[in-house]
């Protein structure tokens, strides 16, 4: 930087020197050449002696040569100043470009760090909600485990367990748009029919699906596949080729709004109670927004499915136990 400043200073000095020499040359032309020319004209018109005329001519030529030499050297100096200034401008432009590129890289790095910080804050916020949800479900399991009779209904227990997830869907899944067609549902397996029936559903008011969802056979559709394979199924975009096997179903179960409404899926088996048993059912979430779900932000649904398994098993056990309670003493007296 100091060398660049010194070079600019030197060029400025040369420019000033060249300008000064040019001024001197022009002054010499005005002071010497013009009076000499006037003298020559006067000599020719007034019939001066030949020696005087020759002296005037020599003086005019000499002054012209001196003035021309000064102007020539001044113009050369001006040309050198011009090219030096042009060179300095190119150096300044290249440095400006390098500085601009450096600023772009710095801005990009800052933006990337801001994005990382935003993602970290989002992750911590989701983790905080996950912890709150786990604590809520643990308290529910403890509460209903101590309650023998009367047992809550399956709809009540499911609604209580899922209300935290659906209430915090904007934070957990990014569902901040008021027009996003979300759908959360719980399906339980019916051993008699072999079907997975919808027992609980919470969806957007404008969602085209009915109040109760479709029933699915084991291995059929996203819900049936998660049940049959006993593992979670998360699909960010149902239009991708790898999602076709998960969404394969019969024409009777196909709806005209399926393609536009169900663009992202997440299905998690509920249970099983023991390692050798089949799952109890499936917890599923869907949206019409592509890439709404991934295996990171749906971890809360996996925990919800585990909590639902414990609560449903407790509810079923308490219901069976309540049905076998002995008659009260008042009934015996009657």
């Amino acid at each position: 930087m100091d060398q660049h400043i010194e070079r600019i200073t030197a060029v400025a000095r040369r420019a000033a020197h060249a300008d000064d020499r040019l001024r001197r040359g022009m002054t010499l032309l005005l002071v010497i050449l013009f009076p000499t020319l006037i003298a020559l004209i006067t000599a020719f018109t007034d019939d001066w002696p030949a020696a005087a005329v020759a002296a005037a001519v020599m003086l005019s030529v000499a002054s012209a040569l001196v003035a021309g030499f000064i102007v020539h050297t001044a113009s050369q100096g001006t040309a050198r100043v011009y090219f030096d200034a042009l060179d300095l401008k190119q150096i300044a432009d290249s440095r400006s470009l390098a500085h601009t590129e450096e600023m772009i890289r710095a801005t990009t790095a800052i933006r990337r760090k801001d994005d990382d910080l935003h993602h970290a804050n989002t992750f911590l916020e989701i983790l905080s909600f996950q912890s709150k949800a786990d604590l809520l479900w643990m308290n529910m399991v403890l509460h209903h485990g101590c309650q023998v009779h009367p047992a809550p209904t399956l709809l009540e227990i499911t609604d209580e367990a899922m209300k935290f997830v659906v209430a915090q869907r904007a934070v957990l899944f990014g569902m901040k748009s008021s027009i996003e067609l979300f759908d959360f549902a719980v399906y339980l397996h019916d051993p008699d029919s072999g079907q997975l029936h919808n027992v609980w559903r919470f969806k957007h008011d404008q969602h085209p699906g009915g109040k109760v969802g479709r029933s699915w056979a084991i291995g059929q559709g996203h819900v049936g596949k998660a049940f049959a394979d006993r593992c979670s199924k998360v699909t960010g975009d149902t239009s991708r080729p790898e999602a076709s096997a998960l969404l394969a179903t019969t024409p009777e179960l196909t709806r005209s709004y399926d393609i536009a409404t169900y663009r992202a899926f997440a299905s998690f088996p509920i249970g099983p109670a023991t390692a050798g048993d089949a799952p109890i059912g499936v917890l599923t979430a869907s949206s019409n927004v592509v890439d709404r779900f991934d295996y990171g932000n749906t971890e809360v649904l996996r925990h919800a499915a585990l909590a639902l398994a414990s609560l449903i098993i407790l509810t079923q056990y308490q219901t069976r136990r309540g049905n076998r309670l002995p008659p009260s003493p008042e009934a015996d007296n009657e």
Side-chain angles (χ1 to χ4, degrees):
M1 178 63 71
D2 292 339
Q3 293 179 352
H4 191 63
I5 294 175
E6 290 177 0
R7 188 173 178 184
I8 293 175
T9 304
V11 170
R13 287 174 180 172
R14 286 200 299 273
H17 183 64
D19 181 69
D20 183 61
R21 295 185 70 176
L22 184 61
R23 240 188 343 265
R24 289 179 183 177
M26 296 304 297
T27 301
L28 185 63
L29 284 174
L30 293 174
V31 174
I32 299 176
L33 182 60
F34 287 167
T36 304
L37 290 175
I38 293 172
L40 283 174
I41 295 171
T42 304
F44 281 110
T45 55
D46 294 343
D47 296 328
W48 280 14
V53 172
V57 170
M58 292 293 293
L59 182 60
S60 299
V61 171
S63 61
L65 289 175
V66 171
F69 176 76
I70 294 174
V71 171
H72 175 69
T73 54
S75 64
Q76 284 185 332
T78 303
R80 285 196 299 271
V81 169
Y82 170 76
F83 287 113
D84 287 342
L86 186 63
D87 186 32
L88 290 175
K89 181 180 181 303
Q90 291 176 348
I91 295 174
D93 289 342
S94 63
R95 291 190 177 184
S96 176
L97 180 61
H99 179 68
T100 302
E101 292 176 350
E102 186 65 28
M103 288 294 295
I104 292 174
R105 286 194 294 269
T107 303
T108 302
I110 292 174
R111 189 180 295 113
R112 189 179 298 113
K113 289 181 179 179
D114 288 341
D115 292 341
D116 293 340
L117 182 61
H118 174 71
H119 292 155
N121 290 334
T122 302
F123 175 77
L124 290 175
E125 191 173 10
I126 292 175
L127 189 62
S128 174
F129 277 102
Q130 176 72 70
S131 301
K132 292 178 182 178
D134 288 339
L135 183 61
L136 171 67
W137 292 325
M138 187 181 298
N139 289 334
M140 288 181 61
V141 171
L142 292 174
H143 172 73
H144 291 292
C146 297
Q147 181 178 345
V148 178
H149 190 72
T153 64
L154 187 61
L155 182 61
E156 290 172 343
I157 202 73
T158 305
D159 194 59
E160 185 178 358
M162 290 299 298
K163 65 181 181 181
F164 182 84
V165 174
V166 298
Q168 301 298 333
R169 60 187 180 274
V171 176
L172 296 172
F173 309 109
M175 296 179 178
K176 298 179 180 179
S177 173
S178 60
I179 61 174
E180 182 171 348
L181 301 181
F182 61 83
D183 182 20
F184 296 90
V186 172
Y187 295 83
L188 293 185
H189 179 244
D190 180 11
D192 296 332
S193 64
Q195 297 281 311
L196 290 158
H197 298 299
N198 180 216
V199 298
W200 178 88
R201 191 177 197 184
F202 183 88
K203 62 184 181 66
H204 192 279
D205 294 338
Q206 302 300 319
H207 194 285
K211 184 177 180 180
V212 178
R214 286 161 271 184
S215 296
W216 301 93
I218 298 174
Q220 187 180 60
H222 213 271
V223 176
K225 286 285 187 181
F227 185 91
D229 296 344
R230 301 187 182 187
C231 65
S232 58
K233 304 289 183 182
V234 179
T235 302
D237 186 357
T238 56
S239 65
R240 293 169 186 162
E242 59 270 19
S244 59
L246 291 173
L247 302 173
T249 184
T250 61
E252 293 79 12
L253 289 173
T254 303
R255 302 291 185 267
S256 59
Y257 54 79
D258 284 350
I259 295 178
T261 305
Y262 299 105
R263 295 302 308 275
F265 261 112
S267 298
F268 291 82
I270 299 174
T274 62
D277 294 338
I280 301 172
V282 175
L283 167 63
T284 184
S286 67
S287 172
N288 66 331
V289 177
V290 174
D291 291 329
R292 172 58 69 211
F293 304 112
D294 55 52
Y295 281 98
N297 66 5
T298 55
E299 185 68 11
V300 66
L301 294 178
R302 186 177 69 83
H303 286 215
L306 293 173
L308 280 173
S310 300
L311 292 167
I312 291 171
I313 291 170
L314 279 173
T315 301
Q316 292 174 344
Y317 171 76
Q318 291 168 356
T319 301
R320 290 194 298 268
R321 185 174 179 180
N323 292 335
R324 295 197 300 268
L325 286 176
S328 62
E330 291 80 3
D332 291 339
N333 293 335
E334 292 177 357

